Amino acid sequence: MIPEGITGAELDRSVKAELRSLPRGLADLVAQHLVASGRFIDDDPERAYQHARTARRLAARLGGVREAVAITAYLAEHYDEALTEFRAVRRMTGNHEVLAMMADCERALGRPEKALTLSRDKHVRDLTEATQVELLIVAAGARRDMGQTAAAIQTLQVPELTKRTKADWLPRLRYAYADALEEAGREDDALIWFHRAAGVDADGSTGAAERAAQLEGLQFTDLDEDDEDEDDEEYDDKPEDDAYDAELEDQADALEAEDDDEELDDDAEDDDAELEDEVDEADEVDEADEVDLDGVVDDALDGEIEGPEKPTE
């Protein structure tokens, strides 16, 4: 579960507010990298992660930047770095909605006990319903990792299973429950819940219908598979995206070279003192020189921002 507004195509208000603390040129470039990160996050998480890392190199003191790095690292399966960045986000911003992703990182790193510990964090009661459900799913998965399938099933037997809602977490919760039932050898019950998951999974993201078909001995054919493969090939054949990335990287290097004494911290746990000096200098700039972040972001999204030209889709 990914928080909205941090790594999507747009920058939310909190990130815009943070960018206003930077000098104009630096804010422009960080905004471009964050927008580029959002642009690639669905189709190419690794590329999105690299853009977010560059933004961190330029503005490591901004919580929104660190959150972008954490989420893209998580999606690109760099779980160690994602954990480090999520911890930094909690410390810098007080945002505990990242707990579910942190617990999932611990599972991916082969530490289910630590995932369970995070699921019992004192801040869990303050989380949104969506994050609480995601954390419940991760905790059940951790139980299964430890060979405790019965405990995993019990963990997922919550009132939300039968709740009438169109929330994105409902098909995932029902799918996790059905999957645990099948692992326990309760195939008839699993089939019921795979069908119930498929019934609320409008876009088929869980694959519940396919799992139900398999249990019934049917072969499920995806008629759109060939079209999706063609779309992927078309996307991969766009050299303009690579050129756009390279130009943004060149801009970042050029901006850093303007001041040999300016060193931006690339360590996820350490806030560089020299970055603090840079922010102090930004605070002293005249109002006329302050960045209009709404305009910067709008221009970035429209492809009209000064700097490297955004390639034609």
Side-chain angles (χ1 to χ4, degrees):
M1 192 270 308
I2 303 174
E4 297 180 357
I6 297 297
T7 55
E10 299 181 359
L11 303 178
D12 72 4
R13 292 181 180 179
S14 64
V15 178
K16 291 179 182 178
E18 288 182 329
L19 288 173
R20 289 191 179 95
S21 69
L22 301 177
R24 182 186 184 89
L26 183 59
D28 287 356
L29 189 53
V30 172
Q32 288 183 74
H33 277 288
L34 290 178
V35 170
S37 181
R39 173 185 174 193
F40 294 117
I41 195 168
D42 292 328
D43 299 305
D44 193 344
E46 181 64 32
R47 180 174 286 181
Y49 163 67
Q50 294 301 331
H51 277 290
R53 284 190 65 192
T54 300
R56 184 186 66 188
R57 178 160 55 91
L58 297 169
R61 289 184 68 251
L62 304 188
V65 169
R66 300 296 280 272
E67 187 166 357
V69 177
I71 294 173
T72 54
Y74 170 70
L75 294 176
E77 300 182 0
H78 301 293
Y79 298 115
D80 271 328
E81 183 170 7
L83 263 177
T84 298
E85 292 299 313
F86 281 133
R87 292 187 188 112
V89 169
R90 292 186 72 187
R91 185 183 70 249
M92 296 167 69
T93 69
N95 177 13
H96 303 292
E97 294 293 326
V98 299
L99 275 169
M101 286 181 284
M102 291 179 67
D104 203 30
C105 286
E106 294 288 8
R107 277 195 67 202
L109 293 169
R111 301 192 292 251
E113 297 87 354
K114 290 188 176 181
L116 288 174
T117 299
L118 284 171
S119 73
R120 296 189 290 265
D121 188 278
K122 65 181 181 179
H123 295 287
V124 169
R125 70 187 67 177
D126 302 321
L127 301 177
T128 62
E129 183 180 44
T131 303
Q132 288 188 28
V133 171
E134 292 293 338
L135 196 52
L136 197 69
I137 294 171
V138 175
R143 290 291 186 189
R144 293 175 62 182
D145 294 342
M146 299 165 66
Q148 302 172 3
T149 306
I153 293 173
Q154 186 175 8
T155 298
L156 295 169
Q157 289 174 338
V158 292
E160 285 76 11
L161 270 174
T162 56
K163 190 171 184 178
R164 293 182 178 274
T165 177
K166 294 182 180 180
D168 292 339
W169 52 260
L170 183 59
R172 287 176 44 76
L173 178 61
R174 291 182 175 181
Y175 181 92
Y177 185 56
D179 195 37
L181 288 169
E182 184 181 9
E183 184 176 282
R186 297 168 55 181
E187 293 188 356
D188 290 342
D189 292 333
L191 181 59
I192 292 172
W193 282 99
F194 276 130
H195 277 301
R196 289 180 177 177
V200 294
D201 188 6
D203 58 3
S205 60
T206 64
E210 292 92 326
R211 293 292 298 276
Q214 290 172 4
L215 284 176
E216 293 174 328
L218 302 176
Q219 184 175 1
F220 195 96
T221 302
D222 187 355
L223 298 178
D224 295 330
E225 185 175 346
D226 292 339
D227 293 337
E228 290 176 359
D229 290 341
E230 291 177 3
D231 291 341
D232 290 342
E233 290 176 3
E234 181 180 353
Y235 179 82
D236 291 338
D237 290 339
K238 291 182 179 179
E240 297 92 343
D241 288 339
D242 294 324
Y244 183 59
D245 290 350
E247 290 188 53
L248 281 178
E249 291 295 336
D250 290 343
Q251 266 202 321
D253 292 339
L255 186 62
E256 286 181 304
E258 290 179 0
D259 187 352
D260 292 335
D261 294 330
E262 178 185 347
E263 295 180 3
L264 297 172
D265 189 355
D266 194 31
D267 183 357
E269 285 294 302
D270 188 16
D271 293 333
D272 197 313
E274 292 188 12
L275 279 170
E276 295 182 1
D277 294 339
E278 184 179 353
V279 173
D280 292 339
E281 292 177 8
D283 292 337
E284 298 174 1
V285 75
D286 293 335
E287 286 188 8
D289 293 328
E290 290 182 354
V291 59
D292 178 7
L293 247 298
D294 291 332
V296 169
V297 174
D298 290 341
D299 288 345
L301 293 173
D302 294 338
E304 299 175 356
I305 195 164
E306 294 183 2
E309 293 185 1
K310 186 174 180 180
T312 303
E313 296 290 344

